[in-house]
Amino acid sequence: MQKVNFMLYMIYSTDVENSLEKRLATRPAHLERLTSLKEQNRLFSAGPLPAIDSEEPGSAGFTGSLVIAEFDSLEDAQKWAEADPYIAAGVYSHSVVKPYKKVLP
């Protein structure tokens, strides 16, 4: 079987203000999609952006998320980002999708 050559893309999503309640309610569906990428060995990195200088921001919540994953094309990465449950739930105000080239380490 021939291996498909994927390229890395970064998806930088920004939360709306006071998104924590919606974020927590929608988190299982959001994580399910990320887990699927991980199981396909296509997930490079993913995580939220705390609103304060702490890994556990509590009620301060988050300002967004960063996902770096492999997709066939920029268009496929954009479609994946647009289908995020956080978009439908009103957690994200917008997402930026760009090609990403890992250099180090």
Side-chain angles (χ1 to χ4, degrees):
M1 180 180 233
Q2 185 176 352
K3 183 181 188 286
V4 177
N5 290 323
F6 292 106
M7 182 168 170
L8 288 170
Y9 294 88
M10 74 99 203
I11 301 167
Y12 179 88
S13 301
T14 302
D15 281 25
V16 299
E17 287 191 39
N18 303 310
S19 64
L20 186 58
E21 188 175 313
K22 291 178 186 177
R23 180 182 269 272
L24 293 174
T26 312
R27 189 169 189 259
H30 173 77
L31 290 179
E32 185 177 324
R33 295 179 80 234
L34 292 170
T35 299
S36 177
L37 286 178
K38 180 182 175 192
E39 290 170 350
Q40 297 170 47
N41 293 317
R42 294 173 46 205
L43 183 62
F44 180 75
S45 184
L49 307 172
I52 59 173
D53 191 11
S54 172
E55 284 192 28
E56 298 296 332
S59 63
F62 300 91
T63 61
S65 301
L66 176 66
V67 174
I68 302 173
E70 294 178 331
F71 293 94
D72 287 329
S73 66
L74 178 59
E75 181 181 355
D76 285 347
Q78 289 170 327
K79 285 180 183 177
W80 188 90
E82 290 167 2
D84 195 303
Y86 280 173
I87 295 279
V91 174
Y92 292 155
S93 64
H94 65 281
S95 296
V96 175
V97 182
K98 293 186 178 188
Y100 174 82
K101 181 180 176 183
K102 181 182 182 290
V103 175
L104 294 171

